[in-house]
């Protein structure tokens, strides 16, 4: 996987763009995207759009379920957040020209085609899992040709051993933060508000990161 360089597309408009992607499937990218969007609109009062920059089709499914609308739609308005299914670069440009203050992009799984767009985001959240059957996808991302950590990138996990996460943070970088469990991505609880306030104010992870330190211990399993 080759990571290309790109320009931050929000530099001229002032819109904040948060890209969320997963190191492998089933890491909770869409759920976290919805949680962030509802926090930004419901608590921070930011006019927010969420783009489904993948072919999973989840936005159309929950859009129909939540609104009762049937048939293809370019946008679903749910709790004052606009959700765009099957979006792409053209839709992002439209959102940048509109009056949105924050755009959240659900990239799905990190792939070569998403790398340039990740570089355009003002903040990138990467989700991984400490479940044994999903760890290899994270190592593959770390080993990717041209991969380099940016200070605006943050790493999170929903699934897997808490003991493994704690051990990782003691010995390796980047720091990986646990996402609080939330049964309903459209509901903003007090716990979620406190957590979101912390991670959205935290723009980077501290210290330098070496390729050797990232790959050290690959052969060890996490139990």
């Amino acid at each position: 996987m080759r990571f290309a360089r790109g320009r931050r597309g929000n530099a001229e408009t002032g819109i904040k763009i948060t890209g969320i992607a997963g190191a492998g499937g089933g890491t909770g990218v869409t759920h976290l995207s919805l949680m962030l969007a509802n926090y930004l609109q419901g608590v921070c009062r930011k006019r927010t759009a969420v783009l489904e920059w993948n072919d999973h089709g989840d936005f159309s499914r929950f859009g129909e379920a939540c609104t009762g609308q049937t048939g293809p739609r370019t946008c679903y308005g749910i709790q004052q957040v606009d959700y765009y299914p099957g979006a792409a670069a053209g839709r992002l440009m439209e959102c940048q020209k509109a009056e949105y203050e924050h755009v959240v992009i659900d990239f799905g799984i990190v792939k070569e085609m998403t790398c340039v767009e990740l570089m355009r985001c003002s903040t990138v959240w990467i989700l991984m899992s400490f479940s044994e059957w999903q760890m290899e996808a994270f190592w593959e991302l770390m080993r990717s040709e041209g991969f380099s950590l940016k200070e605006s990138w943050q790493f999170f996990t929903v699934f897997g051993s808490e003991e493994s996460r704690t051990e990782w943070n003691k010995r390796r970088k980047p720091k990986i933060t646990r996402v609080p469990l939330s049964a309903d991505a459209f509901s903003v609880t007090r716990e979620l508000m406190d957590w979101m306030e912390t991670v959205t104010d935290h723009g980077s992870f501290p210290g330098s990161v070496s390729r050797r330190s990232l790959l050290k211990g690959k052969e060890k399993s996490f139990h």
Side-chain angles (χ1 to χ4, degrees), residues 19-37 50 54 56 58-59 62 104-110 125-131 133-134 137 155-160 177-186 192 195-196:
I20 305 180
T27 57
V29 172
T30 298
H31 199 87
L32 183 58
S33 297
L34 270 61
M35 288 167 60
L36 174 59
V50 190
N54 58 69
H56 296 170
D58 292 335
F59 280 34
F62 74 67
V104 179
I105 303 179
D106 175 352
F107 284 107
I109 300 172
V110 176
W125 289 7
I126 301 293
L127 274 163
M128 54 82 65
S129 172
F130 280 104
S131 298
W133 60 91
Q134 292 177 301
F155 289 75
F156 301 93
T157 186
V158 178
F159 307 111
T177 301
R178 173 74 68 178
V179 178
L181 292 176
S182 174
D184 183 2
F186 294 98
L192 180 60
W195 185 84
M196 281 289 183

Side-chain angles (χ1 to χ4, degrees), residues 56-72:
H56 296 170
D58 292 335
F59 280 34
S60 291
R61 284 188 285 272
F62 74 67
E64 290 183 7
C66 291
T67 66
Q69 299 173 343
T70 59

Side-chain angles (χ1 to χ4, degrees), residues 76-202:
Y76 293 93
I78 305 172
Q79 295 184 177
Q80 300 182 55
V81 176
D82 292 335
Y83 295 91
Y84 292 89
R91 187 67 65 191
L92 176 58
M93 292 178 64
E94 292 176 7
C95 289
Q96 289 177 305
K97 294 177 182 178
E99 296 181 355
Y100 292 112
E101 298 172 86
H102 204 123
V103 174
V104 179
I105 303 179
D106 175 352
F107 284 107
I109 300 172
V110 176
K111 299 177 182 177
E112 183 174 355
M113 62 182 294
T114 66
C115 298
V116 171
E117 303 308 328
L118 286 173
M119 298 301 178
R120 298 178 190 275
C121 298
S122 47
T123 302
V124 171
W125 289 7
I126 301 293
L127 274 163
M128 54 82 65
S129 172
F130 280 104
S131 298
E132 288 81 359
W133 60 91
Q134 292 177 301
M135 273 300 297
E136 181 56 34
F138 183 58
W139 287 119
E140 182 179 347
L141 176 63
M142 296 295 101
R143 296 193 303 265
S144 299
E145 182 180 356
F147 178 83
S148 61
L149 296 172
K150 309 298 180 183
E151 290 190 357
S152 60
W153 290 29
Q154 294 172 258
F155 289 75
F156 301 93
T157 186
V158 178
F159 307 111
S161 167
E162 178 62 16
E163 180 181 353
S164 298
R165 187 188 71 88
T166 301
E167 189 67 19
W168 172 282
N169 287 340
K170 286 181 180 178
R171 301 186 179 188
R172 301 181 182 87
K173 294 179 180 180
K175 177 183 177 181
I176 298 176
T177 301
R178 173 74 68 178
V179 178
L181 292 176
S182 174
D184 183 2
F186 294 98
S187 177
V188 181
T189 63
R190 169 56 62 182
E191 180 186 11
L192 180 60
M193 287 173 57
D194 293 342
W195 185 84
M196 281 289 183
E197 182 178 0
T198 299
V199 297
T200 53
D201 286 344
H202 181 268

Side-chain angles (χ1 to χ4, degrees), residues 12-31:
E12 296 180 358
T13 63
I15 299 174
K16 186 173 179 67
I17 302 174
T18 298
I20 305 180
T27 57
V29 172
T30 298
H31 199 87

Side-chain angles (χ1 to χ4, degrees), residues 29-49:
V29 172
T30 298
H31 199 87
L32 183 58
S33 297
L34 270 61
M35 288 167 60
L36 174 59
N38 281 280
Y39 168 79
L40 291 170
Q41 196 290 320
V43 178
C44 303
R45 300 301 179 187
K46 302 291 185 181
R47 189 183 177 205
T48 304

